[in-house]
């Protein structure tokens, strides 16, 4: 037991390196997303995130968008607590039977124009949980989906690119 403890203290942590805080690709992507939201809506983009039964991998990546490396709020993108204030409904996970009605009510509470983004493989078709007695399959079986962001889980950069594609595709 002691040897295991000493070995873990001598080795570096097993984590991936963080993105550079001054990465021009990420800063440009977030700035472009903010400009697209401003051009499309005339204001900031408000995002309501709903975990419909996921393993929380996607939520960790969504939460990373607000950390010091990505800091997407500085460009006017906001996660909101109420669907009544949201433009985008960002759904993660397979829709469990217990979350089906809550997801439908959240969608119905959103004002128009509204968009739905399904993030991750589980949100597409149930992923690993497809066929489970507790799941109602993917998000598109419950509410209409405008964009799917693939990945298990999708990276913060993939999430930003997906939101940008959504706004670019829906430009008038």
């Amino acid at each position: 037991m002691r040897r295991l403890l000493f070995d873990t203290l001598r080795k570096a942590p097993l984590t991936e390196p963080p993105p550079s805080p001054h990465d021009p690709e990420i800063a440009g992507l977030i700035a472009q997303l903010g400009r697209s939201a401003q051009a499309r809506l005339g204001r900031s983009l408000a995002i309501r995130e709903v975990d419909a039964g996921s393993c929380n991998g996607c939520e960790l990546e969504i939460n990373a968008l607000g950390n010091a490396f990505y800091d997407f709020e500085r460009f006017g993108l906001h996660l909101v607590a109420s669907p009544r204030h949201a433009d985008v409904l960002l759904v993660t996970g397979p829709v469990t039977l217990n979350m089906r009605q809550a997801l439908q009510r959240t969608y119905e509470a959103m004002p128009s124009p509204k968009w739905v983004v399904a993030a991750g493989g589980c949100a597409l078709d149930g992923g690993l949980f497809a066929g489970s007695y507790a799941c109602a399959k993917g998000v598109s079986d419950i509410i209409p989906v405008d964009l799917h962001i693939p990945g298990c889980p999708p990276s913060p950069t993939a999430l930003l690119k997906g939101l940008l594609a959504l706004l670019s595709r829906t430009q008038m």
Side-chain angles (χ1 to χ4, degrees):
M1 183 65 154
R2 280 189 197 172
R3 184 164 192 228
L4 178 64
L5 177 65
F6 289 126
D7 286 346
T8 57
L9 290 175
R10 282 187 285 155
K11 294 179 183 175
L14 298 174
T15 59
E16 64 184 58
S20 169
H22 304 292
D23 187 348
E25 178 189 3
I26 293 172
L29 187 61
I30 297 173
Q32 186 179 3
L33 184 54
R35 286 191 303 272
S36 292
Q38 193 69 29
R40 174 71 173 109
L41 301 169
R43 58 180 167 73
S44 300
L45 183 67
I47 304 165
R48 172 71 174 124
E49 191 271 328
V50 172
D51 175 354
S54 77
C55 67
N56 285 51
C58 295
E59 285 74 25
L60 290 171
E61 300 301 321
I62 292 167
N63 287 337
L65 291 173
N67 69 20
F69 297 114
Y70 295 97
D71 192 16
F72 76 149
E73 293 225 359
R74 67 185 155 152
F75 294 103
L77 306 171
H78 303 285
L79 291 175
V80 295
S82 172
R84 299 192 193 303
H85 302 145
D87 305 306
V88 174
L89 180 60
L90 181 60
V91 186
T92 61
V95 181
T96 62
L97 296 179
N98 291 339
M99 282 299 295
R100 181 182 191 134
Q101 187 177 20
L103 183 60
Q104 289 170 330
R105 286 184 176 179
T106 301
Y107 177 76
E108 291 165 4
M110 291 176 62
S112 292
K114 57 186 168 186
W115 300 287
V116 177
V117 175
C122 293
L124 173 65
D125 59 4
L128 181 65
F129 306 102
S132 168
Y133 66 91
C135 292
K137 297 189 182 179
V139 178
S140 62
D141 291 344
I142 311 301
I143 57 176
V145 173
D146 298 297
L147 179 73
H148 177 256
I149 302 172
C152 186
S155 68
T157 305
L159 291 165
L160 291 172
K161 288 178 180 178
L163 290 171
L164 182 60
L166 177 74
L167 287 174
S168 298
R169 192 175 76 188
T170 58
Q171 290 284 347
M172 291 182 177

